[in-house]
Amino acid sequence: MVGRSPDGSGNDGSSISDDELRAFLEDSERGAAHSAPKEPSARARMVTERLRQQDARGEGPQPWRPGPAATAGRRRKVWPFVGVALAVCALVVSLKPSLLPGDPFGSGQPTDETVSLPAETAAPTAAPGPASEEVPTLDRPFAGSPAAGWGDGEAGIVLPAAKAVGTVSKERVAQALELTKKLLVGANLDRRTLRGERPGAALAVLDPGQPGLLDDLNGSLRSPDEDHDPLALFSRFDPDEVRLVGDVVKTRGHMTFTKGKYAGVAVHADYTFVYPVSRADGSTEVTRTIVRRVLHAELPDPAKYDAAPGRLTLVEYNGDLGNDTCDVHDGFLHPEFPSAEPTGPSPTGPTEDPYDRSKSFEDSLSDCGTVSRV
């Protein structure tokens, strides 16, 4: 799995050392030689007093920051334009359905957009069966998609029932789950984010003191490139190129929680978002981009760690981008349309089903592959 520190240093993301903290606090009190003297902040005075009391008791100080710098990864897959081949296969299957492996027509996957699947509570064991060969339209943008029966937007993010984990209360667990949902919504469903605007709602959930995280995210939004790609966390389209079709983004996934490493609760979120789009020039042709997000976040105990209350520490975030042009690093998703010639380089990675949520993210995130369907 490809990972990096948000500050680009490649370090292991460890917390500031106690010696560095003491030096920082001492400089804050007496003023550095190259700056005007300043009154220590309330937080600095509080931490200084805590360190003094710990020294008097012969105890070591608490860590300054709770978590490592977050690691990020993403991979792209493009649509291979196999409409003719799919039409032939559809004809053959209509004559002899037994040619399809498994039990596609008994999989429980609805083909009617009015039928909803029950909420996902754990990773599925297989990819969804085929839906239909219907072509998406402006009126029915999810026609022919396995996502037709998925949840609509935020309603597709169903939280598990909160319960106490070790010494972490049920209320703290519920808070961690709600914050993770806010992050997912702000990063992947907020219309301003999807239009390429600043994802302020998502950024507001994150701990501003986590080393390098917000600096890295803000830098990627200002000046995206291959190594600083906002698409690793945010779903963004160029409004001059494409527009979202309708008001619905289909969503499916699940969230789990365990005792965290930093005296709090750790949350694991795994969700897929399906975006129907058409060209911004008024074309009626519709395609879809499928984005899977896997996040590892923690809500540390602010009584033991210097963490911002009510803010998440983001430990790891990965994105799998289905039907997005390869080797374009301008911070936007660029869907490929069946009627147009491919604009990016030929994909070199494997062909995968972007709707298959049974596979993990353990493989490399650097491949540019091919999606089997959109």
Side-chain angles (χ1 to χ4, degrees):
M1 181 176 294
V2 175
R4 58 182 175 83
S5 297
D7 62 4
S9 63
N11 60 34
D12 63 0
S14 59
S15 303
I16 291 176
S17 69
D18 298 335
D19 291 340
E20 290 171 329
L21 173 59
R22 280 190 169 86
F24 168 78
L25 293 172
E26 290 170 0
D27 285 342
S28 297
E29 291 179 330
R30 65 175 180 263
H34 58 275
S35 62
K38 294 181 181 180
E39 173 72 11
S41 67
R43 180 179 290 273
R45 292 195 299 270
M46 178 184 68
V47 175
T48 301
E49 177 61 17
R50 187 172 68 206
L51 289 173
R52 188 191 64 76
Q53 293 176 0
Q54 288 172 343
D55 286 341
R57 295 193 300 266
E59 300 173 355
Q62 294 288 345
W64 173 242
R65 274 288 157 193
T71 59
R74 72 277 183 203
R75 59 186 171 196
R76 288 179 165 87
K77 297 183 179 67
V78 295
W79 179 229
F81 312 113
V82 291
V84 175
L86 286 176
V88 174
C89 291
L91 175 62
V92 173
V93 170
S94 68
L95 297 175
K96 193 172 183 181
S98 61
L99 291 175
L100 283 177
D103 182 25
F105 302 109
S107 64
Q109 179 66 43
T111 59
D112 189 330
E113 283 140 302
T114 63
V115 179
S116 297
L117 287 171
E120 182 179 292
T121 57
T125 57
S132 72
E133 298 303 334
E134 293 181 276
V135 176
T137 65
L138 294 176
D139 292 331
R140 300 182 67 239
F142 297 101
S145 170
W150 291 9
D152 291 353
E154 187 174 348
I157 304 178
V158 180
L159 301 181
K163 62 180 181 180
V165 178
T167 59
V168 182
S169 69
K170 174 182 175 181
E171 290 72 24
R172 288 282 293 170
V173 172
Q175 183 185 27
L177 295 172
E178 288 290 350
L179 288 171
T180 304
K181 181 175 181 177
K182 286 183 179 181
L183 176 59
L184 289 167
V185 170
N188 302 282
L189 296 173
D190 187 290
R191 286 283 157 162
R192 289 164 294 188
T193 300
L194 297 180
R195 291 194 300 265
E197 299 176 20
R198 179 176 171 79
L203 294 171
V205 177
L206 302 174
D207 187 341
Q210 184 176 356
L213 177 62
L214 290 186
D215 286 343
D216 182 70
L217 293 175
N218 284 321
S220 71
L221 291 165
R222 288 191 304 268
S223 304
D225 58 36
E226 184 174 2
D227 295 323
H228 305 86
D229 192 346
L231 297 179
L233 184 61
F234 308 114
S235 296
R236 310 169 76 239
F237 295 90
D238 184 347
D240 293 331
E241 178 184 344
V242 298
R243 62 182 179 90
L244 289 166
V245 177
D247 298 323
V248 174
V249 173
K250 287 294 184 178
T251 306
R252 186 161 181 79
H254 63 277
M255 208 178 292
T256 58
F257 59 90
T258 60
K259 183 179 179 181
K261 183 179 179 181
Y262 307 106
V265 57
V267 179
H268 172 82
D270 183 341
Y271 285 85
T272 299
F273 303 88
V274 183
Y275 305 96
V277 295
S278 63
R279 294 187 185 89
D281 61 8
S283 169
T284 60
E285 185 178 22
V286 176
T287 190
R288 292 179 287 253
T289 289
I290 302 97
V291 176
R292 184 179 176 187
R293 303 285 184 196
V294 175
L295 308 178
H296 298 268
E298 293 210 20
L299 185 63
D301 184 350
K304 296 183 178 180
Y305 293 88
D306 187 28
R311 299 291 188 93
L312 286 178
T313 293
L314 192 55
V315 179
E316 185 176 350
Y317 53 101
N318 295 314
D320 194 1
L321 316 177
N323 191 19
D324 178 46
T325 302
C326 296
D327 289 348
V328 178
H329 306 289
D330 61 357
F332 296 113
L333 293 160
H334 295 280
E336 300 275 7
F337 288 84
S339 66
E341 291 293 329
T343 57
S346 299
T348 58
T351 298
E352 295 184 16
D353 182 356
Y355 293 97
D356 186 357
R357 295 187 35 76
S358 66
K359 294 184 177 180
S360 71
F361 268 71
E362 296 304 317
D363 296 332
S364 170
L365 292 171
S366 61
D367 291 337
C368 182
T370 303
V371 292
S372 60
R373 54 180 172 177
V374 296

